[in-house]
Amino acid sequence: LGRVRGARPGPTLVCIGGIHGNEPAGVHALCRVLERLTPRGDAMRGEFVALDGNRPALARGRRFIERDLNRAWTDAHLDGLRARRRPPEVVEDREQVELLDAIEVAVAEARGPVFVLDLHTTSGLGGPFTSFGDTLANRDLAAPIPVPMILGLDELLDTSLTAFLGRHGLVAVAFESGQHQEPRAVDRAEAGILITVARVGLLPEALLPETAEAAADRLLAQFATQPAMP
């Protein structure tokens, strides 16, 4: 989707939206954040990288075309895909290889620590939350986003992208920002990204005043206005 490279070395924040094609909120939020950060590149340290996950599924508004892209993140599966001489025939296999390539480029070009925020939404109504492998580094990345932390999902879904990246030494958190078609899911995703930008040190909060407003108005306020489950 885009990247903003700061004038000085610093952390790299990789944000991924739309790994499920029926969850476009993260992609919309990343486009907003790119617009906010691009004029501030001279003041940034490090780099902000925004990726869209499953592009064919996003174009069709479907969770996936042939298989769930947020599964089968194993070394054996990826080694097999990369060992082939021809491009994979399954749509999600091609998307998986290209997404991993983009992440590896960001890691190779990083001028400091690398953090990953994977943006999702849910099919049913309910409050936003973060989930991640239960490490101190992951907790530290998720803590400033003022939503519940759900522990244990990465252990249950150990073939997810965040679980895979964690096994390879990256700090990686998933953020579920609301229901798929809920307009506020985009706002909450944007808020979570901005809070994380400040948390990892791409920009000091003084130069990103939207973070305080984001936390108070777009995330915490939702608990008072969230529709009740039918």
Side-chain angles (χ1 to χ4, degrees):
L1 290 171
R3 58 200 301 167
V4 183
R5 191 168 178 87
R8 295 172 293 160
T12 291
L13 176 60
V14 179
C15 292
I16 304 159
I19 199 168
H20 292 136
N22 62 338
E23 302 177 19
V27 174
H28 296 316
L30 285 169
C31 290
R32 290 184 187 176
V33 173
L34 284 168
E35 290 183 1
R36 291 182 185 273
L37 295 184
T38 298
R40 303 174 187 179
D42 289 344
M44 270 182 51
R45 298 175 59 250
E47 185 166 18
F48 179 80
V49 180
L51 303 174
D52 51 355
N54 194 334
R55 292 164 298 177
L58 280 164
R60 300 185 193 184
R62 294 168 52 181
R63 182 176 176 89
F64 55 83
I65 304 300
E66 298 179 77
R67 70 166 180 83
D68 193 326
L69 184 56
N70 204 28
R71 303 294 183 268
W73 285 91
T74 67
D75 289 326
H77 180 69
L78 285 158
D79 288 346
L81 292 178
R82 285 178 158 177
R84 297 178 183 177
R85 296 183 179 181
R86 295 183 300 174
E89 296 180 0
V90 175
V91 169
E92 276 75 21
D93 286 348
R94 293 196 298 271
E95 291 295 291
Q96 187 172 16
V97 170
E98 291 182 12
L99 181 57
L100 182 59
D101 286 346
I103 294 170
E104 288 181 340
V105 168
V107 172
E109 295 180 351
R111 298 170 291 167
V114 179
F115 304 90
V116 179
L117 187 65
D118 185 20
L119 302 161
H120 288 269
T121 50
T122 56
S123 56
L125 293 173
F129 61 90
T130 55
S131 66
F132 46 86
D134 191 10
T135 67
L136 292 177
N138 285 343
R139 287 194 181 209
D140 188 56
L141 182 64
I145 303 176
V147 298
M149 299 177 183
I150 306 298
L151 304 180
L153 287 182
D154 266 32
E155 287 73 17
L156 288 173
L157 302 175
D158 62 354
T159 57
S160 69
L161 174 60
T162 52
F164 171 82
L165 296 176
R167 289 193 294 273
H168 286 267
L170 292 181
V171 180
V173 168
F175 176 32
E176 304 267 1
S177 64
Q179 197 273 338
H180 297 331
Q181 305 304 322
E182 184 186 3
R184 295 197 67 184
V186 180
D187 295 335
R188 296 185 197 114
E190 181 187 7
I193 299 164
L194 291 172
I195 290 168
T196 307
V197 164
R199 176 67 187 89
V200 303
L202 286 175
L203 277 171
E205 190 158 348
L207 296 180
L208 196 66
E210 299 97 324
T211 54
E213 176 187 354
D217 295 343
R218 298 181 184 174
L219 288 173
L220 292 178
Q222 69 84 29
F223 289 108
T225 59
Q226 182 70 46
M229 292 288 288

